[in-house]
Amino acid sequence: MEPEQKARPRRELPPIKVWVSVEERAAIQERADQTGLSLSAYLLAVGMNTPIRSVVDLTAVGDLAKVNGDLGRVAGLLKLWLAEKRGQGARPIDVDAMMVEFRELQGEVRLLMSKVVYGSS
């Protein structure tokens, strides 16, 4: 059996040179910056047809996750309040309708998150 070959660092591998104008390089660099990848990593990912996510997309998912958590906490507080103050301040049917709306909003937020993460339409 042959001993396992140690992977060489990328910097030791032969590069591919691409001739681009100043404007093209700036446009490619801007796209790489949007993904949080280096220029080299971005071009490799594009060349290998690897799905690339924008840093903005990932930030949006984080923001949506926080909103989803906030909705859950508000619904939990409302439920606690109702348990202690049953029938005071709001009709039960109105509260039940609001709870349904909370759950629907949470579902919509989760759907938006999955569209950003998995790229579905």
Side-chain angles (χ1 to χ4, degrees):
M1 286 200 310
E2 295 179 27
E4 287 186 36
Q5 290 184 355
K6 188 175 179 182
R8 292 171 48 191
R10 286 223 178 256
R11 292 208 179 265
E12 293 179 11
L13 301 173
I16 296 176
K17 294 184 181 186
V18 179
W19 302 103
V20 295
S21 68
V22 173
E23 294 82 14
E24 290 168 334
R25 181 184 173 95
I28 294 169
Q29 183 67 60
E30 183 179 336
R31 290 179 183 164
D33 292 344
Q34 290 172 354
T35 65
L37 297 173
S38 68
L39 186 58
S40 179
Y42 176 78
L43 289 173
L44 178 62
V46 169
M48 299 298 289
N49 201 26
T50 303
I52 299 172
R53 295 280 173 227
S54 167
V55 172
V56 175
D57 290 348
L58 299 176
T59 302
V61 171
D63 292 344
L64 286 170
K66 289 176 187 174
V67 169
N68 194 42
D70 291 343
L71 281 172
R73 282 187 285 285
V74 168
L77 288 171
L78 180 60
K79 188 174 180 180
L80 177 66
W81 179 77
L82 289 173
E84 294 178 1
K85 308 281 186 179
R86 188 81 182 151
Q88 296 179 24
R91 295 181 308 162
I93 194 165
D94 293 334
V95 174
D96 288 339
M98 189 176 2
M99 293 299 286
V100 168
E101 288 178 31
F102 271 123
R103 298 297 176 227
E104 287 172 356
L105 281 172
Q106 281 188 305
E108 289 176 32
V109 168
R110 283 191 295 273
L111 179 64
L112 289 171
M113 289 169 59
S114 69
K115 284 182 180 181
V116 172
V117 171
Y118 301 113
S120 59
S121 299

